Amino acid sequence: MKLKSLPLFLLFVLTCFAAKSQDYGGYYFGVKGGLLLGSQTWNNFDRDPLVKYHAIAFIESVDDAFSLFAQAGLHRKGSAIRGRNFFNVNGDVFRPPTQEFLFNNIVLTVGGKKKNWLSASSTWHYMFGLRGDYTVSTNLDEYKEINERNNSLFFPDDSFVQNWNFGVTLGGGAEFELSELVGIVLEFTVNPDFSFQYRQPTIPNVYSPITQTNVSIPERTIRNLTFELSAGFRFLRKVEYID
């Protein structure tokens, strides 16, 4: 599926959810967002966490026990390197500022929520969703000059970014009604990827700025994991049936 077809696909999905939910007298829609803690595994080694943000638009069926939802948003995923020593081509040691590796992903998730009542105007829920990501941009160009200057691929390169990824969303939260048509949503989710965000094959005869010799760079794979804390508003689109 091409990126330009994503809005049409999303519109189709949301329309299907809305149509289904009208059996229950309407549907919820809204926006939410907040903090994102990004973690990445590079060849089975965890990098330092990255604190960024996410923003989501969603739609959800109306049901007291179990509801279906679809949501789409921008999630700034990645990791960081903090407080590490490096060697330049002259063998001098230096400690650069924190280096961030950003992957700006458009994320589409579909799934369900199991709800339980806390009071007459509030519920808590747990949720599960299937998720697809498309990477629209990265900041890896910031490290291109360093790679070229040292004739190496010490840092990741855009050439090996996997734009399409998939995973799941697991979490829970609470919803509070402010009025019949307006409510507040609070959620916490864990979002592991099953696919690789980055996959670089083995590259022989590359100069290493660390050993100052030619080495073979082993295959490098990077996988995303995020923890997201969200807050937002939901609105009820009420459908009344008239005989």
Side-chain angles (χ1 to χ4, degrees):
M1 181 173 59
K2 296 181 179 179
L3 180 60
K4 65 182 181 180
S5 65
L6 184 60
L8 294 177
F9 175 73
L10 179 60
L11 179 61
F12 171 76
V13 172
L14 299 185
T15 301
C16 290
F17 276 93
K20 176 179 177 57
S21 67
Q22 287 187 18
D23 291 338
Y24 306 103
Y27 58 88
Y28 293 108
F29 67 95
V31 292
K32 57 186 176 181
L35 294 178
L36 180 152
L37 181 67
S39 173
Q40 288 183 327
T41 301
W42 292 22
N43 288 37
N44 298 319
F45 291 96
D46 291 331
R47 294 296 181 180
D48 296 322
L50 177 75
V51 180
K52 290 299 177 182
Y53 62 85
H54 65 284
I56 299 170
F58 66 89
I59 190 169
E60 181 182 338
S61 64
V62 175
D63 195 295
D64 289 341
F66 182 84
S67 63
L68 300 176
F69 70 87
Q71 59 186 37
L74 174 66
H75 301 243
R76 305 198 73 194
K77 302 185 177 184
S79 59
I81 297 178
R82 297 182 177 88
R84 310 292 174 85
N85 290 331
F86 290 93
F87 295 85
N88 61 22
V89 292
N90 298 318
D92 300 321
V93 179
F94 69 99
R95 176 171 292 187
T98 298
Q99 294 159 317
E100 297 181 340
F101 304 93
L102 293 174
F103 299 84
N104 298 312
N105 290 359
I106 293 177
V107 180
L108 173 65
T109 307
V110 294
K113 291 182 179 180
K114 179 64 176 70
K115 297 185 177 183
N116 300 275
W117 286 97
L118 287 171
S119 68
S121 60
S122 61
T123 62
W124 69 271
H125 63 267
Y126 53 89
M127 59 192 293
F128 172 82
L130 299 176
R131 177 172 46 77
D133 290 33
Y134 182 81
T135 303
V136 294
S137 65
T138 76
N139 75 330
L140 299 184
D141 278 348
E142 296 178 12
Y143 306 101
K144 186 175 181 178
E145 182 180 348
I146 299 176
N147 283 337
E148 291 178 347
R149 186 169 62 243
N150 293 290
N151 191 29
S152 72
L153 282 174
F154 186 83
F155 293 107
D157 184 88
D158 267 325
S159 303
F160 303 104
V161 173
Q162 308 294 303
N163 288 329
W164 292 101
N165 284 277
F166 65 92
V168 296
T169 291
L170 305 166
E175 298 167 351
F176 306 91
E177 293 182 2
L178 299 179
S179 67
E180 181 183 8
L181 302 179
V182 181
I184 295 175
V185 180
L186 301 175
E187 285 180 347
F188 174 78
T189 61
V190 180
N191 309 275
D193 278 4
F194 294 151
S195 57
F196 293 117
Q197 176 73 81
Y198 183 95
R199 190 161 198 166
Q200 175 186 305
T202 301
I203 303 177
N205 299 319
V206 174
Y207 178 78
S208 169
I210 298 177
T211 64
Q212 299 185 26
T213 60
N214 287 342
V215 298
S216 291
I217 298 179
E219 180 186 37
R220 174 182 286 169
T221 56
I222 298 175
R223 199 192 305 268
N224 286 319
L225 169 66
T226 67
F227 303 88
E228 299 178 4
L229 182 63
S230 305
F233 292 94
R234 69 169 193 172
F235 306 94
L236 174 61
R237 173 67 168 87
K238 193 172 183 180
V239 176
E240 295 184 1
Y241 300 100
I242 302 175
D243 295 331

